[in-house]
Amino acid sequence: MTTTGEQTGPPAGAPSGGPSGPRPGGGPSGPRPSGGPRGRGGGRGRRFYPPRRRVCAFCVEKKIVIDYKNVGMLRRYITERARISPRRRTGTCARHQRILSEAIKRARQIALLPFTPEHVRVTGWHG
């Protein structure tokens, strides 16, 4: 039990943060730097800008025709691992992504585009 003259705070050796009040130095290692990490004015004050919306190149340029024989254009839409790039990376719309993937598959069938990347074909890697 405590008497009316005593205070119920932290012990003498404990830090003075929390419900009893702020720490005098700002923390155990002193006050925080004003610039945040790497000296920039980061943290809560920076605004968040969402990534810029990509538009479909085929919808913008109406004259571009997706053809399985146009290998140079199709190579831009496959990764270095010979996979078809997803819509979120290339920015194509759903309609043109379907046409594009069909053209890539046709070009693979007649050996204009690879099914597998070159280094996997050479080394014979089995994962």
Side-chain angles (χ1 to χ4, degrees), residues 2-71:
T2 60
T3 59
T4 56
E6 294 180 17
Q7 291 183 343
T8 58
S16 61
S20 63
R23 293 184 178 143
S29 62
R32 290 185 176 168
S34 60
R38 297 185 201 102
R40 288 187 232 150
R44 296 181 187 146
R46 281 189 358 199
R47 293 191 179 268
F48 171 73
Y49 293 108
R52 190 168 169 230
R53 182 81 179 149
R54 290 184 175 166
V55 292
C56 179
F58 303 107
C59 290
V60 172
E61 293 290 325
K62 303 283 188 189
K63 298 191 183 218
I64 300 176
V65 178
I66 302 173
D67 189 18
Y68 70 94
K69 293 173 279 189
N70 191 354
V71 179

Side-chain angles (χ1 to χ4, degrees), residues 95-115:
R95 176 179 172 229
H96 286 113
Q97 180 72 17
R98 283 193 298 270
I99 297 169
L100 191 65
S101 65
E102 188 174 306
I104 290 172
K105 290 172 186 176
R106 281 184 182 169
R108 284 175 174 168
Q109 285 294 321
I110 61 170
L112 295 176
L113 285 176
F115 277 101

